[in-house]
Amino acid sequence: MMSKEQQKLLYEISMIDFAIVELNEYLDTHPYDTESVQYIAQYNRVKNKMMREYASKYSPLAVRYAEDESEWSWTMTPLPWEGGCN
Amino acid sequence: MKDCMFDEKQRYDDFPVAMAYVPWQKTNETYECLEKAFEEGTLFPILNKPFTGRRCV
C-alpha cells in the first residue's frame, strides 16, 4: 500500500504530465508560439526531476528512470493492474 | 503570435461544402493552477466546454 507522501508525489507527476500533453497538442498546431515552447521545456525539466525523485524514493515509473544498483526493482513493484497505482 | 499555418484571409465561402471546420485557437492562455487544469480536463480555459447532457454551458 502506498504512503500518503508517495501518493502525493504520484498525483503531482500526473498533473504535470497532463499539462505537458496539453501543451504538446497545442504546440503541434502553434509551433511558433515561443511562450508555450518555453513553458513546456520548463515543465519537462520539472517532470524529469520528479520522476528521478520517485524512482529513487520508491520505484521507477519508467525504465529509463531506473537507478537500481543491486536488484531490478522494475519487476518487483506492483504493476498498475496489481494495485500499483492506488 | 506569429501567424500559424491557417491563413485567416482564406474566405470560408471558398471552402468545399460538407466539410467540418474548427475555428483556430488564438489564445495560449492557461489555467494558473495545474490541479484545476487536471480536474477540468484541459489546460486551456477556452477549450473547457463540459458536456452536461443538454446544451453546452
Side-chain angles (χ1 to χ4, degrees), chain A residues 11-12 14-16 18-20 22-23 25-33 35-36 39 43, chain B residues 1-5 24-28 30-32 34-35 37-39 41-44 47:
Chain A
Y11 184 70
E12 280 165 8
S14 309
M15 276 197 299
I16 200 156
F18 174 74
I20 289 167
E22 285 282 291
L23 282 165
E25 286 169 13
Y26 171 79
L27 283 164
D28 288 350
T29 49
H30 300 71
Y32 300 108
D33 185 332
E35 194 187 345
S36 300
Y39 206 6
Y43 275 157
Chain B
M1 183 161 68
K2 186 174 175 304
D3 201 12
C4 30
M5 294 176 238
W24 202 254
Q25 179 178 344
K26 297 243 171 66
T27 162
N28 63 6
T30 59
Y31 282 119
E32 281 305 318
L34 282 199
E35 186 157 26
F38 194 47
E39 279 157 11
T42 179
L43 185 62
F44 302 96
L47 300 182

Side-chain angles (χ1 to χ4, degrees), chain A residues 4-73:
Chain A
K4 273 257 173 280
E5 201 203 321
Q6 181 177 359
Q7 278 176 21
K8 185 171 175 293
L9 182 53
L10 188 59
Y11 184 70
E12 280 165 8
I13 288 172
S14 309
M15 276 197 299
I16 200 156
D17 192 52
F18 174 74
I20 289 167
V21 168
E22 285 282 291
L23 282 165
N24 176 3
E25 286 169 13
Y26 171 79
L27 283 164
D28 288 350
T29 49
H30 300 71
Y32 300 108
D33 185 332
T34 315
E35 194 187 345
S36 300
V37 170
Q38 285 157 9
Y39 206 6
I40 200 171
Q42 179 203 340
Y43 275 157
N44 269 329
R45 279 190 295 273
V46 170
K47 184 195 162 186
N48 283 330
K49 190 170 147 285
M50 292 166 87
M51 291 289 266
R52 281 193 300 273
E53 181 190 346
Y54 192 93
S56 65
K57 276 187 183 169
Y58 312 109
S59 61
L61 290 169
V63 170
R64 67 181 173 280
Y65 295 106
E67 292 170 0
D68 307 291
E69 272 139 31
S70 56
E71 48 193 40
W72 183 237
S73 62

